[in-house]
Amino acid sequence: MKKYSSILGSKRILFIVSILVFLGCNEEFLDVTPDHYLTEGNFYQTEEDFDQALLGVYGGMQDYVLSAHFLEEGRSDNTTYDNLLDQGSLGGGRQYGFLDQFKMTSVAGPISDAWNNIYGGIKDCNVTLFYLNSAEIDPDSAKMLEAQLRFFRAFYHFVAVRYWGDVPLLIEPVSSAEDAFALKRNPTSEVYQAIVDDAEFAISNLPLAYTGNDVGRITQGAARMLLAKVYLTRGEYGNAQIQLNSIIGSDQYDLLDDYAEIFDPANKNHQESIFEVQFKEGQEGESSNFIYQFAPVGSRGVVVLGPENSPGRNIPTKDMVEAYEVNDKRKDISVAYFDRNPSPLYYVNKYNHDTDPDFSRSPDNWPVYRYADAMLMLAEAINEQSYQTGVPFTMLNRVRVRAGLPELTTTDLPDQVSFRNAVAQERRVELAFENHRWFDLVRTGKAIEVITAFGIKEKADPTLVPPDFIAYGPESFAITQDKLVYPIPNNELDLNPNMTQNPGY
């Protein structure tokens, strides 16, 4: 990505511009604004201005991925929370334990945080697109800028519609408080159509690859991955196959030989990477902190180097650790064991690359889309149309062989159902702790079945015995159809009388 250190500054500038422009700056205020302040009159003038605003949108993805695990991986059977966390985290305003047990309420902190991050990102896209529409800059450059912005707008709407179902569809800036309070929830069908429209525009106007400082920006392959995931989620397997065939046939990507190299900060934006969110260790404010979120309580000096205590989030469940086959090379790369007394436990090891003993920061990028994901998606998309040998088995087995596992044959997987289950299993272990599992369970119709069985197992033999204030009971893991989406945040209901709550909350 161009100029890593400029992302945070661009985020701040874009926020300032958005506030000035769209929260009621009247003529009198603008008349007395000094020249060195940013207003709609002196920003959004040049291609550099628009690119600076776009980098702010890229920077917003950092905020999203730093907390997405709460509502994605943590919602699944892959991870839980450290039982040594205090009541304020597990059962207070954050409600981590309640989220884990499907007992959360509409005031849970991670849910309102996610709403604000997602719609803040959409707002940033729309403000820049609004001015880009009339900008006097090179038309080709304008299309490239628009394509990247529309990718992000589609990406955020896609997350939102899977989190909450019917959600506000915003494809224009909200220019007044009255407009903001008048927002309503659009049907999922309308939201998905807008996502497809944005993704198709991005595909048509983005390059296959970048060079130099632009490496890390959104490519045509990333836009195709987004659209393929939309089609898989909608059950449009033929359309998904078209997009995935284009990715795999582009000769832009391939599997790395060593699974560990995928996550090595020294190997960012590698051949397997289709899109990853960029971070950089250092004092510029561009570092990540995944290992500092995922390390167990009390592991300072053993798991992490930095000065802060570890908050014990995204802890692998026993069920997840047991999902790895014997001799699977991915296991020791993905998870590690902390022999703590009391409550020894596994922790997520993929992002364990901190090097600074004085600050809780690390250089790890976050993988959003990678080639192994595309291969397994293609295997799934073809199999869902009809069971067949050839390409689906090739895609599945290439991922398995890299992990040191034997190839599966038609004797092992003789029909569509057995192949479907094999792909689901492979996705779970290949993409563990990359925020795919919950969405996979929901879109394949397996969430209620899998989580119910997981809950029975977890209550009988807990990964970590929960503290008394959030002890397992009859309501723990009692997942229903209503629980496949999250509640609309309570503060949104308070602010907007047109906003309605999801059933069951």
Side-chain angles (χ1 to χ4, degrees):
M1 182 180 297
K2 183 182 290 184
K3 306 296 184 185
Y4 289 102
S5 61
S6 70
I7 294 176
L8 187 62
S10 298
K11 287 165 62 179
R12 291 172 177 157
I13 289 170
L14 187 57
F15 176 77
I16 293 168
V17 172
S18 301
I19 293 295
L20 291 175
V21 175
F22 288 102
L23 291 185
C25 296
N26 58 34
E27 289 185 6
E28 181 179 355
F29 177 83
L30 295 178
D31 285 342
V32 298
T33 301
D35 290 341
H36 62 273
Y37 281 93
L38 294 170
T39 71
E40 78 273 31
N42 60 27
F43 196 67
Y44 293 119
Q45 297 294 309
T46 66
E47 185 177 328
E48 288 72 22
D49 291 341
F50 283 100
D51 195 57
Q52 189 176 33
L54 172 61
L55 287 177
V57 176
Y58 275 95
M61 280 292 291
Q62 294 177 335
D63 298 328
Y64 164 72
V65 298
L66 283 167
S67 59
H69 59 87
F70 290 117
L71 303 190
E72 296 174 21
E73 198 77 3
R75 187 67 158 170
S76 75
D77 51 346
N78 280 7
T79 62
T80 184
Y81 294 89
D82 199 328
N83 63 342
L84 297 189
L85 288 172
D86 61 26
Q87 186 166 351
S89 296
L90 286 176
R94 302 305 298 170
Q95 296 194 24
Y96 299 152
F98 293 146
L99 281 162
D100 187 53
Q101 297 183 31
F102 290 82
K103 298 193 299 184
M104 74 286 162
T105 69
S106 61
V107 298
I111 296 175
S112 58
D113 290 348
W115 184 281
N116 292 334
N117 278 340
I118 288 166
Y119 278 99
I122 292 171
K123 176 265 296 179
D124 289 346
C125 293
N126 284 336
V127 169
T128 307
L129 285 166
F130 175 82
Y131 285 102
L132 186 60
N133 187 53
S134 57
E136 296 181 359
I137 64 174
D138 177 72
D140 291 336
S141 297
K143 278 193 174 182
M144 281 276 288
L145 291 162
E146 181 180 357
Q148 293 169 80
L149 290 163
R150 291 183 66 173
F151 168 89
F152 285 117
R153 186 170 67 182
F155 180 92
Y156 282 125
H157 275 117
F158 187 38
V159 175
V161 76
R162 290 178 292 171
Y163 278 1
W164 295 289
D166 295 348
V167 289
L169 171 62
L170 300 183
I171 55 175
E172 299 289 344
V174 177
S175 58
S176 69
E178 290 78 10
D179 289 343
F181 295 140
L183 292 176
K184 297 181 180 180
R185 300 174 68 182
N186 294 72
T188 57
S189 58
E190 294 180 9
V191 180
Y192 272 114
Q193 186 56 58
I195 293 168
V196 170
D197 291 345
D198 277 350
E200 287 180 340
F201 182 90
I203 290 168
S204 298
N205 292 281
L206 287 173
L208 288 172
Y210 296 92
T211 59
N213 287 333
D214 287 330
V215 170
R217 287 179 182 258
I218 298 300
T219 61
Q220 184 185 120
R224 288 192 186 279
M225 277 292 283
L226 170 60
L227 188 54
K229 285 185 178 289
V230 170
Y231 284 140
L232 275 187
T233 301
R234 302 288 285 170
E236 299 179 32
Y237 300 111
N239 286 334
Q241 183 181 350
I242 291 170
Q243 299 304 322
L244 294 163
N245 279 336
S246 293
I247 293 169
I248 290 169
S250 69
D251 295 326
Q252 295 295 312
Y253 312 103
D254 202 356
L255 294 182
L256 300 184
D257 292 334
D258 184 351
Y259 187 73
E261 289 184 0
I262 297 169
F263 313 100
D264 186 346
N267 194 36
K268 295 180 177 182
N269 304 301
H270 45 72
Q271 193 172 11
E272 188 168 336
S273 175
I274 298 177
F275 174 48
E276 56 191 77
V277 177
Q278 311 292 312
F279 290 91
K280 177 179 179 292
E281 191 171 32
Q283 300 179 3
E284 301 95 333
E286 297 300 318
S287 60
S288 58
N289 67 355
F290 303 115
I291 189 59
Y292 285 96
Q293 294 195 58
F294 303 160
V297 172
S299 63
R300 176 186 173 191
V302 179
V303 176
V304 293
L305 300 177
E308 295 181 11
N309 291 322
S310 306
R313 303 166 185 169
N314 227 28
I315 298 297
T317 62
K318 285 184 178 179
D319 191 70
M320 177 69 244
V321 175
E322 293 166 359
Y324 292 96
E325 297 174 52
V326 175
N327 298 323
D328 190 330
K329 296 177 181 178
R330 295 169 296 198
K331 182 178 180 180
D332 290 342
I333 296 165
S334 300
V335 298
Y337 190 68
F338 180 48
D339 193 9
R340 183 179 66 185
N341 185 18
S343 303
L345 72 170
Y346 282 89
Y347 61 91
V348 175
N349 194 46
K350 278 186 174 181
Y351 314 102
N352 189 5
H353 302 106
D354 66 317
T355 59
D356 192 335
D358 298 318
F359 296 95
S360 302
R361 60 195 185 196
S362 63
D364 295 75
N365 283 1
W366 184 268
V368 179
Y369 301 140
R370 56 186 178 90
Y371 192 61
D373 185 7
M375 296 172 72
L376 293 173
M377 288 167 63
L378 180 59
E380 177 183 343
I382 295 173
N383 183 66
E384 290 303 318
Q385 295 172 81
S386 66
Y387 173 77
Q388 54 186 278
T389 60
V391 172
F393 276 85
T394 299
M395 296 293 103
L396 175 62
N397 284 326
R398 282 196 63 198
V399 175
R400 288 179 57 80
V401 168
R402 197 254 304 266
L405 299 177
E407 293 189 4
L408 297 174
T409 68
T410 54
T411 302
D412 304 306
L413 309 175
D415 52 35
Q416 185 184 49
V417 173
S418 60
F419 191 89
R420 177 186 298 141
N421 292 338
V423 170
Q425 158 66 14
E426 206 60 41
R427 288 186 63 80
R428 186 182 189 189
V429 291
E430 171 68 27
L431 304 171
F433 321 120
E434 296 176 43
N435 293 340
H436 295 277
R437 176 64 171 173
W438 173 246
F439 289 147
D440 283 352
L441 289 175
V442 174
R443 68 175 176 75
T444 57
K446 288 289 189 178
I448 294 176
E449 173 189 336
V450 168
I451 296 300
T452 298
F454 167 71
I456 293 171
K457 179 179 180 180
E458 187 69 9
K459 286 191 281 187
D461 182 22
T463 299
L464 297 163
V465 177
D468 290 341
F469 64 85
I470 196 168
Y472 289 149
E475 295 183 357
S476 302
F477 307 104
I479 182 174
T480 62
Q481 191 72 26
D482 291 341
K483 301 297 184 181
L484 299 184
V485 293
Y486 290 105
I488 302 297
N490 191 64
N491 57 317
E492 296 300 321
L493 300 175
D494 290 341
L495 290 170
N496 186 352
N498 295 309
M499 198 68 65
T500 57
Q501 186 56 278
N502 280 322
Y505 295 104

